Amino acid sequence: MGLYGQMNNKTGFELRDADYQRRVRDSFARQGLMAHLGAELVSLEPGGVVIRVPFRGELTQQHGFFHAGVTGAIADSACGYAAFTLMGAEDSVLTVEYKMNLLAPADGEELVAKARVVRSGKTLKVCMADVFVKKSGMENHCATVLATIMCLAGKADRPR
Amino acid sequence: MGLYGQMNNKTGFELRDADYQRRVRDSFARQGLMAHLGAELVSLEPGGVVIRVPFRGELTQQHGFFHAGVTGAIADSACGYAAFTLMGAEDSVLTVEYKMNLLAPADGEELVAKARVVRSGKTLKVCMADVFVKKSGMENHCATVLATIMCLAGKADRPR
Amino acid sequence: MGLYGQMNNKTGFELRDADYQRRVRDSFARQGLMAHLGAELVSLEPGGVVIRVPFRGELTQQHGFFHAGVTGAIADSACGYAAFTLMGAEDSVLTVEYKMNLLAPADGEELVAKARVVRSGKTLKVCMADVFVKKSGMENHCATVLATIMCLAGKADRPR
Amino acid sequence: MGLYGQMNNKTGFELRDADYQRRVRDSFARQGLMAHLGAELVSLEPGGVVIRVPFRGELTQQHGFFHAGVTGAIADSACGYAAFTLMGAEDSVLTVEYKMNLLAPADGEELVAKARVVRSGKTLKVCMADVFVKKSGMENHCATVLATIMCLAGKADRPR
């Protein structure tokens, strides 16, 4: 048995593409919005992705905190890529829908979205993301996201 | 009977602040993210707001279409400000949660979010937004959003 | 060209199974919960379904109104069957997720859920339902639902 | 310092009503729907509630599994009562909205909803519930719910 289809021991998810790290990083790098927001892919593992974005005045809502749109954008990307880690080399990823509850004002120096796959179906993967805002060394849980991500089999996620 | 509390004939919503247009525009202008995305407040009326954003490479996901984070950001702002039109001069607006379904790829030259208040409670207002992408003169319905917006009474929405 | 695949003029949806009415009614009749709640299929057309349930003490929450679980149950069934009207004779229907906002207390003699398909993709169909409570001849809009429904192709919706 | 307002050591939530157990059980007992579904309140602690319902043919969807409406109903009640444990003696509880993702067919002998408060604000409490279906001694995670619950201060949750 080769690398494809082998079980990942740490997370329990089956890995269909041994080269998932490069595939996810390449796709992330093509997202113009992530660069425009200053977001970085912090870490990735099978079924899990962390994205962070440092504070800038360009990312605010009217009270000077991170705008919920930034929270939603990095949570959406984190969920989508958490699902994408488990897809095949020739698959493409699509967000079907997400729902976000804002738990506290996103007041801080950095926003971190931690996403994980909750259920990995063949076509649909359900993901959750928790978003934390860091301020003076403290992390505050400021949002939680529940997302449905779709695998488009055989439509490779390459630049058009 | 003065302007405050009078019924708006067109939309059926009660207006608590006659100067809501200026109040919403001022708040929108303080959202750093809207400027950073290039979003504009197209129109506002009691209980309804339209926001548009022209296409730029800085707003894309990996296939070169508008990123769902942009769709979510303008839909969230449109819902929040649709609710804010109905609030009092000394109130502040807060997004409690939203859920977005992506209906079609946001492939086009411009994204337009049209939000309206569906139920205007004293503390909570439920809003919906439909997002359309314009391409070659056609509008395609690419997302729909259902949001819960909160009125923070007596905490005026001013810069900190 | 036969009935299959012909465009339905009234709703604009393509009908893949001319016998959809019987197929939906048969499936509804197999839902033990609908009978247990006293719910009825009021009407169905391509992409649209209406379900009603009369008030009974067995359907209440703690204040004596319809329980949100009843609202959710008939809205979910209405959305699922609205999507199912557009599926093929050998397909099965599955709710992926739904989100419901409660707009007003469901205080009345009857609850009516009106669902329609908003976007009909091959695999996924996005539906909305509005739920109204009738009291003394008045209809009050008490809930709104946004749902994602999946088509399981080739897994006919028959009793096991 | 009396019992009111004291911190609950196990869960970290502040308890505003020492008699919350009786208050929640009384309210649950008034929900006609819970009895009609055969649902039981299994356990409750500050910020957490578990509700179970045994399988019956009256609770099914068209394939003979638990209907999503049952899953939603017990998850909604569990979230609402998890929030209600943290409210005051004179408060009433209201579901603002919930979103449910169905993760697997609810095929089994019993459905169990485990809800917990994720963020306890004064007016709004955000709750999550995971729903499991038990079959032949195994528990399968079949749904996850994210809910917003409102505290109506001073409107005691008594029969009308």
Side-chain angles (χ1 to χ4, degrees):
Chain A
M1 179 177 149
L3 275 166
Y4 291 73
Q6 86 174 30
M7 192 64 72
N8 180 283
N9 290 320
K10 192 177 164 199
T11 61
F13 288 115
E14 191 193 330
L15 212 51
R16 295 181 49 226
D17 172 22
D19 204 18
Y20 76 92
Q21 291 248 0
R22 192 186 51 77
R23 188 167 42 88
V24 171
R25 291 190 185 279
D26 283 357
S27 182
F28 184 89
R30 287 198 304 275
Q31 291 203 336
L33 183 67
M34 290 298 108
H36 193 50
L37 299 178
E40 297 165 41
L41 194 49
V42 176
S43 68
L44 64 157
E45 60 174 13
V49 160
V50 178
I51 292 175
R52 67 184 280 276
V53 59
F55 183 81
R56 298 162 56 186
E58 286 87 353
L59 306 183
T60 54
Q61 36 85 290
Q62 72 274 21
H63 304 118
F65 306 144
F66 281 102
H67 194 287
V70 177
T71 312
I74 64 168
D76 171 44
S77 281
C79 285
Y81 286 126
F84 198 42
T85 61
L86 304 180
M87 296 183 190
E90 297 304 313
D91 297 339
S92 192
V93 61
L94 192 75
T95 299
V96 172
E97 60 85 36
Y98 68 82
K99 181 246 204 287
M100 177 167 65
N101 266 74
L102 299 167
L103 306 175
D107 174 18
E109 303 124 20
E110 187 179 300
L111 209 55
V112 184
K114 303 177 182 180
R116 64 194 180 284
V117 176
V118 173
R119 178 64 48 128
S120 180
K122 192 183 164 193
T123 304
L124 297 179
K125 297 182 196 296
V126 178
C127 301
M128 299 193 75
D130 287 301
V131 187
F132 302 87
V133 64
K134 290 188 181 181
K135 190 174 187 177
S136 315
M138 301 284 285
E139 271 200 353
N140 192 12
H141 190 190
C142 63
T144 192
V145 170
L146 186 51
T148 308
I149 308 291
M150 193 173 191
C151 174
L152 296 176
K155 296 193 178 179
D157 188 76
R158 294 194 197 100
R160 31 173 206 175
Chain B
M1 179 175 148
L3 276 165
Y4 291 74
Q6 88 174 26
M7 192 64 71
N8 179 283
N9 289 322
K10 191 175 163 201
T11 61
F13 288 115
E14 191 194 329
L15 213 50
R16 295 181 50 225
D17 172 22
D19 204 17
Y20 75 92
Q21 291 246 1
R22 193 185 51 76
R23 185 167 44 87
V24 172
R25 291 189 185 279
D26 284 357
S27 182
F28 184 89
R30 287 198 304 275
Q31 290 202 337
L33 183 67
M34 290 297 109
H36 193 50
L37 298 178
E40 297 165 40
L41 193 50
V42 175
S43 68
L44 64 156
E45 60 175 13
V49 161
V50 178
I51 293 175
R52 68 184 280 277
V53 58
F55 183 81
R56 297 161 58 187
E58 286 86 353
L59 306 183
T60 54
Q61 36 84 291
Q62 72 275 21
H63 303 117
F65 306 144
F66 281 102
H67 194 286
V70 178
T71 311
I74 64 168
D76 171 43
S77 279
C79 285
Y81 286 127
F84 199 42
T85 62
L86 304 180
M87 296 183 190
E90 298 303 313
D91 297 339
S92 191
V93 61
L94 191 75
T95 299
V96 172
E97 59 84 36
Y98 68 83
K99 181 244 204 286
M100 176 166 66
N101 266 74
L102 299 166
L103 306 175
D107 174 19
E109 303 125 18
E110 187 178 300
L111 210 55
V112 184
K114 303 177 182 182
R116 64 193 182 284
V117 176
V118 173
R119 178 65 47 127
S120 181
K122 192 184 163 193
T123 304
L124 298 179
K125 297 181 196 295
V126 179
C127 301
M128 298 193 76
D130 287 302
V131 186
F132 302 88
V133 64
K134 290 188 181 181
K135 189 173 187 178
S136 314
M138 302 283 285
E139 270 200 354
N140 192 12
H141 189 190
C142 63
T144 192
V145 170
L146 185 51
T148 308
I149 309 290
M150 192 173 191
C151 174
L152 296 176
K155 296 193 177 179
D157 188 77
R158 294 195 197 99
R160 39 174 197 171
Chain C
M1 179 176 147
L3 275 165
Y4 291 73
Q6 86 175 28
M7 192 64 71
N8 180 283
N9 290 319
K10 190 178 165 198
T11 61
F13 288 116
E14 192 194 328
L15 213 50
R16 295 181 49 226
D17 172 21
D19 203 18
Y20 75 90
Q21 291 246 0
R22 193 186 49 78
R23 186 167 42 88
V24 171
R25 290 190 185 280
D26 283 358
S27 183
F28 184 89
R30 288 198 304 274
Q31 291 203 336
L33 183 65
M34 291 297 109
H36 193 50
L37 299 178
E40 297 165 42
L41 193 50
V42 176
S43 68
L44 64 157
E45 60 174 14
V49 161
V50 177
I51 293 174
R52 68 183 280 276
V53 59
F55 182 82
R56 299 161 57 187
E58 287 86 354
L59 306 183
T60 54
Q61 36 85 290
Q62 72 275 19
H63 303 117
F65 306 143
F66 280 103
H67 194 286
V70 178
T71 312
I74 64 168
D76 171 43
S77 279
C79 285
Y81 285 127
F84 198 41
T85 62
L86 305 180
M87 297 183 190
E90 298 303 314
D91 297 339
S92 191
V93 61
L94 192 74
T95 299
V96 173
E97 59 85 35
Y98 67 82
K99 182 244 205 286
M100 176 167 66
N101 266 74
L102 299 167
L103 306 175
D107 174 19
E109 302 124 20
E110 187 179 301
L111 209 55
V112 184
K114 303 177 182 180
R116 64 194 180 283
V117 176
V118 173
R119 178 64 48 129
S120 181
K122 192 183 163 195
T123 304
L124 297 179
K125 297 180 195 296
V126 179
C127 300
M128 299 193 75
D130 287 302
V131 187
F132 302 87
V133 65
K134 291 188 181 182
K135 190 173 187 177
S136 314
M138 302 283 287
E139 269 201 354
N140 192 11
H141 189 190
C142 63
T144 192
V145 170
L146 185 52
T148 308
I149 308 292
M150 193 172 191
C151 174
L152 296 176
K155 296 192 177 179
D157 188 77
R158 295 193 197 101
R160 38 173 199 174
Chain D
M1 179 177 150
L3 275 165
Y4 290 74
Q6 85 174 30
M7 192 64 72
N8 180 284
N9 290 320
K10 192 177 163 199
T11 61
F13 288 115
E14 191 193 329
L15 213 50
R16 295 181 47 226
D17 173 21
D19 203 18
Y20 75 92
Q21 291 247 0
R22 193 185 49 78
R23 187 167 42 89
V24 171
R25 291 189 185 280
D26 283 357
S27 183
F28 184 89
R30 289 197 304 275
Q31 292 203 335
L33 183 66
M34 290 298 108
H36 193 50
L37 299 178
E40 298 166 39
L41 193 50
V42 176
S43 67
L44 64 157
E45 60 175 13
V49 161
V50 177
I51 292 175
R52 68 184 280 276
V53 59
F55 182 82
R56 299 162 57 187
E58 286 87 352
L59 307 183
T60 54
Q61 37 85 290
Q62 72 273 22
H63 303 118
F65 305 144
F66 280 103
H67 194 288
V70 178
T71 312
I74 64 169
D76 171 43
S77 280
C79 285
Y81 286 127
F84 198 42
T85 61
L86 305 181
M87 297 183 191
E90 298 303 313
D91 297 339
S92 192
V93 61
L94 191 75
T95 299
V96 172
E97 59 85 36
Y98 68 82
K99 182 245 205 287
M100 176 166 66
N101 266 74
L102 298 167
L103 306 176
D107 174 19
E109 302 124 21
E110 186 179 300
L111 210 55
V112 184
K114 303 177 181 182
R116 64 194 180 283
V117 176
V118 173
R119 178 65 49 129
S120 181
K122 192 183 164 193
T123 304
L124 297 179
K125 297 181 196 296
V126 178
C127 300
M128 298 193 76
D130 287 302
V131 187
F132 302 88
V133 64
K134 291 188 182 183
K135 190 173 187 177
S136 314
M138 301 284 285
E139 271 200 354
N140 192 12
H141 189 191
C142 62
T144 191
V145 171
L146 185 51
T148 308
I149 308 291
M150 193 172 191
C151 175
L152 296 175
K155 296 192 177 179
D157 188 77
R158 294 194 197 100
R160 36 173 203 176

Coordinates of all heavy atoms in Angstrom, one line a residue, chain B residues 46-78:
Chain B
P46 N -34.9 53.4 4.8 CA -35.3 52.8 6.1 C -35.4 51.3 5.9 O -36.3 50.8 5.1 CB -36.6 53.4 6.4 CG -36.6 54.8 5.8 CD -35.9 54.5 4.5
G47 N -34.5 50.5 6.6 CA -34.6 49.1 6.5 C -34.0 48.5 5.3 O -34.0 47.2 5.1
G48 N -33.3 49.2 4.5 CA -32.6 48.7 3.3 C -31.3 49.4 2.9 O -31.2 50.6 3.0
V49 N -30.3 48.6 2.5 CA -29.0 49.1 2.2 C -28.4 48.3 1.0 O -28.6 47.1 1.0 CB -28.1 49.1 3.4 CG1 -26.6 49.2 2.9 CG2 -28.4 50.2 4.4
V50 N -27.8 49.0 0.1 CA -27.1 48.4 -1.0 C -25.6 48.8 -1.0 O -25.3 50.0 -0.9 CB -27.7 48.8 -2.4 CG1 -27.0 48.1 -3.5 CG2 -29.2 48.3 -2.4
I51 N -24.8 47.8 -1.1 CA -23.3 48.0 -1.1 C -22.7 47.3 -2.3 O -23.1 46.2 -2.6 CB -22.6 47.5 0.2 CG1 -23.1 48.3 1.4 CG2 -21.1 47.5 0.1 CD1 -22.6 47.8 2.7
R52 N -21.8 48.0 -3.0 CA -21.2 47.3 -4.2 C -19.7 47.4 -4.1 O -19.1 48.2 -3.4 CB -21.6 48.0 -5.5 CG -21.1 49.4 -5.6 CD -21.6 50.1 -6.9 NE -20.8 49.7 -8.1 CZ -19.7 50.3 -8.4 NH1 -19.1 51.2 -7.7 NH2 -19.1 49.8 -9.5
V53 N -19.0 46.4 -4.7 CA -17.6 46.5 -4.8 C -17.1 46.0 -6.2 O -17.6 44.9 -6.7 CB -17.0 45.6 -3.6 CG1 -17.5 44.1 -3.7 CG2 -15.5 45.6 -3.6
P54 N -16.3 46.8 -6.9 CA -15.8 46.4 -8.2 C -14.8 45.3 -8.1 O -14.0 45.2 -7.0 CB -15.2 47.7 -8.8 CG -15.6 48.8 -7.8 CD -15.9 48.1 -6.5
F55 N -14.6 44.5 -9.1 CA -13.6 43.5 -9.1 C -12.2 44.0 -9.1 O -11.9 45.0 -9.8 CB -13.8 42.6 -10.3 CG -12.8 41.4 -10.4 CD1 -13.1 40.3 -9.6 CD2 -11.7 41.5 -11.1 CE1 -12.2 39.2 -9.6 CE2 -10.7 40.5 -11.1 CZ -11.0 39.3 -10.4
R56 N -11.3 43.4 -8.4 CA -9.9 43.6 -8.4 C -9.2 42.3 -8.1 O -9.7 41.5 -7.3 CB -9.5 44.6 -7.3 CG -10.1 46.0 -7.4 CD -10.0 46.7 -6.0 NE -8.6 46.8 -5.5 CZ -8.3 47.3 -4.3 NH1 -9.2 47.6 -3.5 NH2 -7.0 47.3 -4.0
G57 N -8.0 42.1 -8.5 CA -7.2 40.9 -8.3 C -7.0 40.7 -6.8 O -6.8 39.6 -6.3
E58 N -7.1 41.8 -6.0 CA -6.9 41.7 -4.5 C -8.0 41.1 -3.8 O -8.0 40.9 -2.6 CB -6.6 43.1 -3.9 CG -5.2 43.7 -4.2 CD -5.2 44.4 -5.6 OE1 -6.2 44.3 -6.3 OE2 -4.2 45.0 -5.9
L59 N -9.1 40.8 -4.5 CA -10.3 40.3 -3.8 C -10.7 38.9 -4.2 O -11.7 38.4 -3.9 CB -11.5 41.2 -4.2 CG -11.3 42.7 -4.0 CD1 -12.6 43.4 -4.3 CD2 -11.0 43.0 -2.5
T60 N -9.7 38.2 -4.7 CA -10.0 36.8 -5.3 C -9.8 35.6 -4.4 O -9.0 35.7 -3.5 CB -9.2 36.6 -6.6 OG1 -7.8 36.8 -6.3 CG2 -9.6 37.6 -7.7
Q61 N -10.5 34.5 -4.7 CA -10.1 33.2 -4.2 C -9.2 32.6 -5.2 O -8.8 33.2 -6.2 CB -11.3 32.4 -3.9 CG -12.6 32.5 -4.7 CD -12.5 31.7 -5.9 OE1 -11.7 31.9 -6.9 NE2 -13.5 30.7 -6.0
Q62 N -8.9 31.3 -5.1 CA -7.9 30.6 -5.9 C -8.2 30.5 -7.4 O -7.3 30.2 -8.2 CB -7.5 29.3 -5.3 CG -8.6 28.2 -5.4 CD -9.6 28.2 -4.3 OE1 -9.8 29.2 -3.6 NE2 -10.3 27.1 -4.1
H63 N -9.5 30.6 -7.7 CA -9.9 30.5 -9.1 C -10.0 31.8 -9.8 O -10.4 31.9 -11.0 CB -11.2 29.7 -9.3 CG -11.2 28.3 -8.7 ND1 -12.0 28.0 -7.6 CD2 -10.4 27.3 -8.9 CE1 -11.7 26.7 -7.3 NE2 -10.7 26.3 -8.0
G64 N -9.7 32.9 -9.1 CA -9.8 34.2 -9.7 C -11.2 34.9 -9.6 O -11.4 35.9 -10.2
F65 N -12.1 34.3 -8.9 CA -13.4 34.9 -8.7 C -13.4 35.7 -7.4 O -12.4 35.6 -6.6 CB -14.5 33.8 -8.6 CG -14.6 32.9 -9.7 CD1 -14.9 31.5 -9.6 CD2 -14.3 33.3 -11.0 CE1 -14.9 30.7 -10.7 CE2 -14.3 32.4 -12.1 CZ -14.6 31.1 -11.9
F66 N -14.4 36.4 -7.1 CA -14.5 37.1 -5.8 C -14.4 36.1 -4.7 O -15.1 35.0 -4.8 CB -15.8 37.9 -5.7 CG -15.9 39.2 -6.3 CD1 -16.6 39.3 -7.6 CD2 -15.3 40.3 -5.8 CE1 -16.7 40.6 -8.2 CE2 -15.4 41.6 -6.4 CZ -16.1 41.7 -7.6
H67 N -13.7 36.3 -3.7 CA -13.6 35.4 -2.5 C -14.9 35.5 -1.7 O -15.4 36.6 -1.6 CB -12.4 35.9 -1.6 CG -11.9 34.9 -0.6 ND1 -12.7 34.7 0.6 CD2 -10.8 34.1 -0.5 CE1 -12.0 33.8 1.3 NE2 -10.9 33.4 0.7
A68 N -15.3 34.4 -1.1 CA -16.5 34.4 -0.3 C -16.4 35.4 0.9 O -17.4 35.9 1.4 CB -16.8 33.0 0.2
G69 N -15.2 35.6 1.3 CA -14.9 36.6 2.4 C -15.4 38.0 2.0 O -15.8 38.7 2.8
V70 N -15.2 38.3 0.7 CA -15.7 39.6 0.3 C -17.2 39.7 0.2 O -17.8 40.6 0.7 CB -15.1 39.9 -1.2 CG1 -15.6 41.3 -1.7 CG2 -13.6 39.9 -1.1
T71 N -17.8 38.6 -0.3 CA -19.2 38.5 -0.4 C -19.8 38.6 1.1 O -20.7 39.4 1.3 CB -19.6 37.1 -1.0 OG1 -18.9 36.9 -2.2 CG2 -21.1 37.0 -1.2
G72 N -19.2 37.9 2.0 CA -19.6 37.9 3.4 C -19.5 39.3 4.0 O -20.3 39.8 4.7
A73 N -18.3 39.9 3.7 CA -18.0 41.2 4.3 C -19.0 42.3 3.9 O -19.6 43.0 4.7 CB -16.6 41.6 4.0
I74 N -19.3 42.3 2.6 CA -20.3 43.4 2.2 C -21.7 43.0 2.5 O -22.5 43.9 2.8 CB -20.2 43.8 0.7 CG1 -20.5 42.6 -0.3 CG2 -18.8 44.3 0.3 CD1 -20.7 43.1 -1.7
A75 N -22.0 41.7 2.6 CA -23.4 41.3 3.0 C -23.6 41.6 4.5 O -24.6 42.1 4.9 CB -23.6 39.8 2.7
D76 N -22.5 41.4 5.3 CA -22.6 41.7 6.7 C -22.8 43.2 7.0 O -23.6 43.6 7.7 CB -21.3 41.1 7.4 CG -21.2 41.6 8.8 OD1 -22.2 41.5 9.6 OD2 -20.1 42.0 9.3
S77 N -22.0 44.0 6.3 CA -22.1 45.4 6.4 C -23.5 45.9 6.0 O -24.1 46.7 6.6 CB -21.0 46.2 5.6 OG -19.8 46.2 6.4
A78 N -23.9 45.4 4.8 CA -25.2 45.8 4.3 C -26.4 45.4 5.3 O -27.3 46.2 5.6 CB -25.5 45.1 3.0

